[in-house]
Amino acid sequence: MKLLEDRIHKDGQVLGQDILKVDRFLTHQVDYQLMKEIGKRFAEVYANAGVTKVVTIEASGIAPALYAAESLNVPLIFAKKAKNVTMNDDLLVTEVYSFTKKLTSTVQISSKLLEAGEKVLIIDDFLANGQAALGLLDLMKQAKAEVVGLGIVIEKSFQDGRQKLLDEGMNLTSLARIEKFENGKVIFAPADDSAFDIN
Ligand code: G4P
């Protein structure tokens, strides 16, 4: 998505070998206009997939996922990393290991929110090693929901998450695919939605 790639060039900051800081529009401060365009793009790509729910994981996946849900006119569910006192229903639970944070967290969704056979579009902000996405796939499998697609805002294509998800047979749409960092600059690979870009 050209609009997103342009914004990454403008406001993204390369940290070390493999981290992109995007706290001016995605992971801390959120540009709702950009998020709305991102949500619309996911909705365009999956317009004919019969999506009944959008699913993401807290925290930074929520903003783009909410606009995708709005555009598809379906509810958004976000998997929670901490169980709170109101979560007294049956829970679908999985473990997600974060290579970035070097810790494992338990993530959960109330089982009553998803019915067997629902068609789910998973959205997340970053795809690195794929652990968060694989965790969400596991939750969807437990719910007997069908994952019709996986929409990623920023994929770091030099890490192995993409391959793991393709190996799972996923239909993957990454709006920005980072091939590498070179002298502090971001070099992009062709994005999965490039056919939808006007220019
Ligand atoms: P994975 O889910 O693909 O395996 O990724 P990994 O364990 O490496 O990433 C863990 C967390 O770090 C995720 O956030 C992910 O979005 C984020 N992350 C990974 N690479 C980058 C990067 O280059 N830049 C930024 N800004 N974030 C990155 P999280 O802890 O699950 O959630 P959140 O609460 O921060 O949204």
Side-chain angles (χ1 to χ4, degrees), residues 1 4 34-43 64 153 175:
M1 185 180 189
L4 173 63
L34 178 63
M35 293 304 119
K36 200 172 174 77
E37 292 306 315
I38 285 171
K40 281 201 268 187
R41 177 56 58 90
F42 285 133
V153 180
L175 302 188

Side-chain angles (χ1 to χ4, degrees), residues 10-95:
K10 179 169 169 276
D11 282 335
Q13 209 184 328
V14 177
L15 299 183
Q17 300 293 306
D18 58 3
I19 298 291
L20 179 72
K21 188 166 172 171
V22 285
D23 64 347
R24 285 181 172 273
F25 60 92
L26 178 58
T27 59
H28 199 11
Q29 175 169 267
V30 176
D31 178 338
Y32 77 88
Q33 287 164 320
L34 178 63
M35 293 304 119
K36 200 172 174 77
E37 292 306 315
I38 285 171
K40 281 201 268 187
R41 177 56 58 90
F42 285 133
E44 270 179 296
V45 174
Y46 292 102
N48 299 319
V51 175
T52 60
K53 298 261 164 79
V54 171
V55 171
T56 189
I57 184 167
E58 63 178 344
S60 305
I62 295 175
L66 180 62
Y67 286 110
E70 182 196 33
S71 288
L72 290 163
N73 195 24
V74 297
L76 162 69
I77 301 171
F78 59 94
K80 295 196 172 216
K81 289 179 182 162
K83 189 169 180 282
N84 68 31
V85 285
T86 67
M87 292 184 82
N88 51 7
D89 312 304
D90 283 342
L91 296 175
L92 309 172
V93 180
T94 197
E95 306 262 287

Side-chain angles (χ1 to χ4, degrees), residues 52-175:
T52 60
K53 298 261 164 79
V54 171
V55 171
T56 189
I57 184 167
E58 63 178 344
S60 305
I62 295 175
L66 180 62
Y67 286 110
E70 182 196 33
S71 288
L72 290 163
N73 195 24
V74 297
L76 162 69
I77 301 171
F78 59 94
K80 295 196 172 216
K81 289 179 182 162
K83 189 169 180 282
N84 68 31
V85 285
T86 67
M87 292 184 82
N88 51 7
D89 312 304
D90 283 342
L91 296 175
L92 309 172
V93 180
T94 197
E95 306 262 287
V96 173
Y97 177 73
S98 165
F99 287 95
T100 311
K101 294 181 177 163
K102 306 269 183 286
L103 54 85
T104 300
S105 50
T106 305
V107 299
Q108 46 237 324
I109 288 179
S110 170
S111 60
K112 70 166 189 265
L113 298 177
L114 276 166
E115 285 173 28
E118 290 220 50
K119 290 179 184 261
V120 168
L121 172 62
I122 294 177
I123 301 286
D124 208 359
D125 58 335
F126 267 93
L127 173 59
N129 297 292
Q131 298 305 304
L134 289 169
L136 291 175
L137 286 186
D138 181 39
L139 291 178
M140 295 308 102
K141 198 186 258 179
Q142 292 178 42
K144 298 187 172 54
E146 181 191 344
V147 179
V148 297
L150 184 61
I152 298 291
V153 180
I154 303 176
E155 170 190 303
K156 294 190 292 182
S157 308
F158 53 84
Q159 293 181 259
D160 64 358
R162 182 182 183 86
Q163 195 53 51
K164 283 186 198 153
L165 294 166
L166 294 179
D167 290 348
E168 292 288 319
M170 276 301 104
N171 183 331
L172 180 61
T173 302
S174 297
L175 302 188

